[in-house]
Amino acid sequence: MKLPKMVLFDYGQTLIAEQKFDGIKGTEAVLQYAVKNKYHLSAEQIQARANEINREFGRFDPEKRHLFQIEIPNTMFTPYLYESQGIEIALSNSEIDTVFWNAAAPGAPTEGIQKFLEYLKQKGIRTGVISNISYAPSVVAERINRLLPENTFEFIITSSNFIFRKPHQRIFDLALEKADLKPEEVWYIGDQYECDIKGPLNAGLLPVWYIGAIDLSYTEDKSILTVANWEELRLRMEEAGTD
């Protein structure tokens, strides 16, 4: 195992551990900015409609989300959701994303990630992010930079900005182009096997399976470098650096 020139990270449950998603709380927060609610709908009713639409698309199903490889960004989803139900919100789409996300799924850095990022910086190993996420790119970047203010990420690639979702190879190819690196020079770290392990593996990157904050059931794959915490990965990298 050779040390990489760059390490790319997944966002959710890898860099940031999010609390269990609560769409009703998010919608309640957004409704505080409603200037029109024609049918006097509750947050529960609005979220039920959102869930119905998402089921039609196949979005967010834990068992099938890796099959959905084209993103529907919230900048398209949210206006339809509210306007189709006679609701007007006195916020921009990105502001709705911020209000909704902060209420529905607040997050905190995974334990030890700041120290690990500092280690990579000291080693001169570049870093970046690739995330399957429907929130506006600026909103995602704001959250990451607020929760990890010392990061030196060269870019934050979101499926909401670049169409393709992991495990689609095109989103990894985009990262390699932006980094100007070859696949074998880059590691990708994530928690979701189909997207974050099979995706980079098929694109030629070395995948690392981080299970420290995993929110899905999983079956161990001994062929993949798997770590339960960031200190474990640092030690493995130190061993690689002495080979």
Side-chain angles (χ1 to χ4, degrees):
M1 187 171 64
K2 184 179 179 181
L3 285 179
K5 292 184 177 180
M6 188 171 201
V7 173
L8 299 174
F9 293 86
D10 169 50
Y11 160 76
Q13 310 310 105
T14 301
L15 288 174
I16 305 299
E18 292 192 347
Q19 295 181 20
K20 185 176 180 180
F21 178 81
D22 189 331
I24 293 175
K25 282 187 178 180
T27 303
E28 286 175 343
V30 172
L31 278 180
Q32 294 179 28
Y33 297 89
V35 294
K36 177 183 177 182
N37 188 343
K38 183 177 180 181
Y39 303 107
H40 307 289
L41 298 176
S42 67
E44 289 82 359
Q45 290 171 310
I46 296 166
Q47 189 57 36
R49 176 61 63 85
N51 294 341
E52 175 187 329
I53 298 169
N54 283 327
R55 282 193 297 271
E56 291 178 11
F57 289 141
R59 297 170 90 205
F60 309 137
D61 182 336
E63 301 300 322
K64 299 179 180 179
R65 63 187 183 186
H66 63 281
L67 302 175
F68 194 78
Q69 295 189 28
I70 300 296
E71 189 65 78
I72 298 176
N74 284 357
T75 51
M76 299 171 65
F77 182 87
T78 299
Y80 177 82
L81 175 65
Y82 285 105
E83 293 179 33
S84 68
Q85 299 181 91
I87 299 171
E88 294 180 12
I89 306 295
L91 297 172
S92 67
N93 289 334
S94 61
E95 289 171 334
I96 291 175
D97 269 2
T98 299
V99 170
F100 179 88
W101 195 13
N102 286 342
T110 53
E111 185 175 354
I113 185 60
Q114 295 103 321
K115 186 176 180 180
F116 183 67
L117 290 174
E118 179 60 28
Y119 165 76
L120 295 179
K121 182 179 178 181
Q122 292 174 357
K123 298 289 286 188
I125 297 174
R126 300 157 60 191
T127 56
V129 179
I130 307 177
S131 175
N132 282 354
I133 202 160
S134 59
Y135 298 111
S138 61
V139 175
V140 178
E142 187 280 329
R143 175 176 278 208
I144 290 174
N145 291 328
R146 172 168 48 84
L147 295 176
L148 296 171
E150 303 301 319
N151 81 77
T152 55
F153 298 133
E154 294 184 14
F155 50 75
I156 298 173
I157 293 176
T158 63
S159 55
S160 60
N161 197 38
F162 290 105
I163 307 174
F164 298 102
R165 289 173 54 84
K166 302 170 295 182
H168 203 298
Q169 183 172 335
R170 289 189 184 277
I171 199 164
F172 295 102
D173 290 344
L174 171 64
L176 293 172
E177 174 61 30
K178 292 173 74 66
D180 194 24
L181 292 172
K182 299 175 182 178
E184 60 269 21
E185 296 175 319
V186 180
W187 290 11
Y188 186 83
I189 307 175
D191 71 301
Q192 209 279 330
Y193 188 83
E194 295 291 337
C195 293
D196 298 327
I197 303 304
K198 286 188 176 180
L201 190 63
N202 291 336
L205 287 69
L206 188 147
V208 179
W209 198 3
Y210 171 73
I211 60 172
I214 200 166
D215 60 354
L216 296 171
S217 59
Y218 68 94
T219 301
E220 185 179 2
D221 183 344
K222 293 185 178 180
S223 69
I224 300 298
L225 174 57
T226 303
V227 295
N229 58 71
W230 295 112
E231 177 63 10
E232 180 182 356
L233 182 55
R234 185 192 69 79
L235 292 174
R236 294 292 297 272
M237 294 181 77
E238 285 290 292
E239 292 173 2
T242 60
D243 290 346

